[in-house]
Amino acid sequence: EPEVTQTPSHQVTQMGQEVILRCVPISNHLYFYWYRQILGQKVEFLVSFYNNEISEKSEIFDDQFSVERPDGSNFTLKIRSTKLEDSAMYFCASRGQGDTEAFFGQGTRLTVV
Amino acid sequence: GESVGLHLPTLSVQEGDNSIINCAYSNSASDYFIWYKQESGKGPQFIIDIRSNMDKRQGQRVTVLLNKTVKHLSLQIAATQPGDSAVYFCAESSNLSGTYKYIFGTGTRLKVLA
């Protein structure tokens, strides 16, 4: 069964460092998303990406965040200068054309120290 | 503004009983609703969805009910099993922005008692 895969599963980084979270969406999907979940809280939308550009982003997705689809399979989230409050689980999701259901990856736990 | 919330943070049920998890939403423009199950350390796992032109949809042991009049969504799990223990999130979505982003509720933790 096709699935969304994310790497790494856990990333620890020093405050102020850059991190790149990686995702491989389901191969024939065209819509890609990043969500985050701070421990014990709800899942929050960060950004959606379609046709090689951001289609929507939330207030959380400020200038420190960027997304990229560098090739035909990967979808990355970069945080330029991490802050303590960026510590969270980050989930990648993808959706096929004409579908409404999004499939989520297992997440990357980011810990900023 | 948009918001999706859950009435109960924790629900404890006896194994074999039926579970009902509730959710309220506020965006009347939402046309798609979905329930996800999240086990510890894992990503959200699709359970069941429903479009706004329906008021009920059944899956295997699960039923979702949608009441658009009061903007209420519920998930019913029949014959709850220990493997159903998890946090359950409702989410709403619309295609107004063209993205079908999900707005998630806070989550309800379901505990199944043996």
Side-chain angles (χ1 to χ4, degrees):
Chain A
E1 184 177 326
E3 60 180 11
V4 177
T5 56
Q6 291 184 241
T7 55
S9 57
H10 192 188
Q11 173 90 46
V12 181
T13 188
Q14 294 272 348
M15 187 170 55
Q17 294 296 304
E18 174 184 287
V19 294
I20 298 176
L21 309 183
R22 303 182 189 279
C23 170
V24 179
I26 294 173
S27 62
N28 62 344
H29 284 186
L30 300 177
Y31 298 85
F32 312 112
Y33 307 85
W34 283 102
Y35 291 81
R36 81 169 185 191
Q37 185 179 31
I38 294 171
L39 185 63
Q41 298 186 23
K42 64 183 180 181
V43 178
E44 301 173 289
F45 168 76
L46 290 178
V47 66
S48 60
F49 191 86
Y50 171 73
N51 199 26
N52 287 319
E53 62 182 17
I54 291 173
S55 48
E56 187 173 355
K57 59 184 180 180
S58 71
E59 293 177 353
I60 302 168
F61 195 88
D62 61 22
D63 292 344
Q64 294 299 311
F65 291 86
S66 62
V67 290
E68 192 177 34
R69 187 157 164 80
D71 53 42
S73 61
N74 291 285
F75 179 52
T76 62
L77 174 69
K78 182 193 291 186
I79 308 175
R80 263 180 273 281
S81 178
T82 50
K83 303 186 281 288
L84 293 176
E85 53 264 37
D86 293 327
S87 295
M89 281 289 285
Y90 287 81
F91 294 106
C92 173
S94 70
R95 176 171 68 86
Q97 181 78 38
D99 295 339
T100 46
E101 178 190 347
F103 293 82
F104 284 77
Q106 296 284 60
T108 292
R109 178 172 297 284
L110 176 65
T111 302
V112 182
V113 297
Chain B
E2 301 169 329
S3 69
V4 177
L6 292 170
H7 298 310
L8 297 173
T10 303
L11 176 66
S12 296
V13 297
Q14 290 289 337
E15 181 179 354
D17 287 353
N18 297 333
S19 303
I20 300 176
I21 301 172
N22 296 303
C23 177
Y25 67 94
S26 62
N27 186 0
S28 56
S30 292
D31 58 7
Y32 178 68
F33 305 88
I34 193 165
W35 281 99
Y36 279 96
K37 172 185 180 182
Q38 187 178 29
E39 296 173 290
S40 181
K42 296 185 178 180
Q45 178 186 1
F46 170 84
I47 301 173
I48 193 167
D49 58 0
I50 189 169
R51 291 186 179 273
S52 59
N53 61 352
M54 302 172 68
D55 53 22
K56 181 179 180 179
R57 189 159 188 236
Q58 289 184 293
Q60 187 176 13
R61 281 202 307 120
V62 293
T63 301
V64 55
L65 299 177
L66 175 63
N67 185 332
K68 294 182 288 294
T69 303
V70 295
K71 297 190 184 70
H72 185 267
L73 192 68
S74 69
L75 175 70
Q76 300 178 1
I77 304 173
T80 313
Q81 301 170 359
D84 294 328
S85 293
V87 176
Y88 289 80
F89 293 94
C90 63
E92 62 175 311
S93 184
S94 73
N95 202 29
L96 286 179
S97 61
T99 65
Y100 262 119
K101 70 179 183 186
Y102 291 165
I103 298 170
F104 283 85
T106 308
T108 292
R109 180 173 300 280
L110 177 65
K111 291 184 178 180
V112 182
L113 308 172

